[in-house]
Amino acid sequence: MRILVDADACPVKDEVYKVAWRHEVPVVIVSNSWLRVPQHPLVSRQVVSDGFDAADDWIAEAADARSVVITSDILLADRALKAGAKVLSPNGKPFTANSIGAAIATRAIMADLRAGGDQVGGSNPFSSADRSNFLQALDRELVALKRLT
């Protein structure tokens, strides 16, 4: 079992460490550049090239049914789900086989609107409620994975 974090813009890395240490689950922090990570035997860093989607490619290839992937990238979430992983966004909302299609479609619509020059709002600011929801969701996913073993 392990947690794979799409780390370059992840606002919940500290929360990942706390939950992982409590459950004694390894964490891999994946990024395009060197990031500071805690000196802990359960935490490792994987620095990939700065090529387009290099971090996503590494995570998608490493993900499996015993992985929890943390990402806000919808296309990476889709790839990780197809590999059998559980996937959480930083606000704690799970990506599932049932929800990913709508998320991809919404992403495409928003991209088309932006390309057409429309001013569309971004996502809501990250809140303490999002942080709390994430902690609960990650804990729940790890407990569920442990039951499977």
Side-chain angles (χ1 to χ4, degrees):
M1 213 165 60
R2 66 182 171 169
I3 302 168
L4 305 171
V5 181
D6 183 9
D8 284 318
C10 180
V12 291
K13 289 186 285 291
D14 289 338
E15 289 75 11
V16 169
Y17 304 141
K18 289 176 190 175
V19 176
W21 294 336
R22 186 169 60 245
H23 288 278
E24 298 181 346
V25 174
V27 176
V28 182
I29 299 297
V30 184
S31 63
N32 297 103
S33 60
W34 189 90
L35 295 175
R36 182 180 304 272
V37 299
Q39 293 292 330
H40 192 280
L42 289 174
V43 178
S44 63
R45 176 188 309 112
Q46 179 66 46
V47 178
V48 298
S49 76
D50 62 354
F52 184 72
D53 282 345
D56 294 359
D57 291 343
W58 192 96
I59 292 168
E61 290 172 20
D64 60 24
R66 304 216 4 96
S67 304
V68 177
V69 173
I70 311 301
T71 186
S72 56
D73 184 314
I74 294 167
L75 298 180
L76 172 56
D78 182 47
R79 293 171 68 189
L81 285 169
K82 288 176 179 169
K86 301 290 185 185
V87 184
L88 290 175
S89 67
N91 65 8
K93 291 187 179 166
F95 289 103
T96 66
N98 292 333
S99 69
I100 196 68
I104 292 170
T106 300
R107 178 186 180 278
I109 290 167
M110 297 304 281
D112 287 346
L113 289 172
R114 283 190 297 274
D118 291 331
Q119 296 293 322
V120 292
S123 58
N124 293 329
F126 194 74
S127 70
S128 58
D130 292 330
R131 199 171 301 281
S132 177
N133 291 336
F134 175 79
L135 284 164
Q136 292 173 25
L138 181 55
D139 189 73
R140 198 170 35 250
E141 291 296 346
L142 292 178
V143 167
L145 276 177
K146 283 183 177 181
R147 285 188 192 134
L148 296 175
T149 56

